[in-house]
Amino acid sequence: MNQKTVLVNRSILFAALVCLSLALIGCTPSLVGENAAAYSMGSLHARVDRDMASVYNASVSGLEKLEIKVTDKQKDVFGAKVVGRTSDEQIITIKIKPASPTSTTLSIHVGVMGSEERSRAIYEQIRKELGTVAMAGI
């Protein structure tokens, strides 16, 4: 192989690695308002107008009400994490961070590749636990 071919091959490899890195890393969508949620790169990202402790407790309670076994839970002043496992061995990870004293961001990831349907169901259960879901007909 001549030097030009090696240089071209390295350039192609570098470009492929950059594209792969961007695809795997992705970005967290910026959310405009309170109680907003967006699904991106395998996770549901949401912001709720409640303090972090309330969201943490609602996350643990929500998973239990959905009959999802909570396998790990951690919390300190800087953030919290709740991990659960479904009956079909899907791992659910909920990461919770305070955005302000009265506002919290959270991300919900289900399984290896993510599941929007399950993530949204878990998010809705958390909102029910928080009392932020509007009742039909009201």
Side-chain angles (χ1 to χ4, degrees):
M1 291 181 118
N2 64 25
Q3 193 170 14
K4 186 176 181 181
T5 305
V6 171
L7 185 59
V8 168
N9 287 342
R10 284 185 180 174
S11 297
I12 292 171
L13 179 62
F14 178 74
L17 288 174
V18 168
C19 290
L20 180 62
S21 296
L22 291 175
L24 291 176
I25 293 171
C27 59
T28 302
S30 60
L31 302 170
V32 178
E34 297 293 315
N35 297 319
Y39 190 81
S40 174
M41 302 299 291
S43 295
L44 181 77
H45 303 275
R47 183 176 176 135
V48 292
D49 58 352
R50 294 295 174 94
D51 64 286
M52 186 184 74
S54 297
V55 175
Y56 171 77
N57 291 332
S59 298
V60 172
S61 179
L63 288 182
E64 290 171 349
K65 286 216 175 140
L66 291 171
E67 299 181 2
I68 297 169
K69 182 180 179 183
V70 175
T71 58
D72 187 29
K73 51 187 179 177
Q74 303 168 4
K75 181 177 148 317
D76 61 30
V77 71
F78 302 111
K81 181 177 169 182
V82 180
V83 179
R85 187 177 294 269
T86 63
S87 61
D88 62 349
E89 299 298 316
Q90 295 289 312
I91 296 174
I92 296 163
T93 305
I94 304 172
K95 294 180 182 176
I96 306 164
K97 293 186 180 180
S100 74
T102 60
S103 179
T104 303
T105 61
L106 68 143
S107 69
I108 302 169
H109 187 84
V110 178
V112 177
M113 299 300 290
S115 168
E116 183 173 4
E117 181 181 342
R118 288 186 180 192
S119 296
R120 289 198 181 277
I122 293 165
Y123 176 60
E124 287 306 310
Q125 186 63 44
I126 291 169
R127 289 184 61 209
K128 284 179 187 175
E129 297 297 315
L130 291 169
T132 58
V133 176
M135 300 302 285
I138 296 178

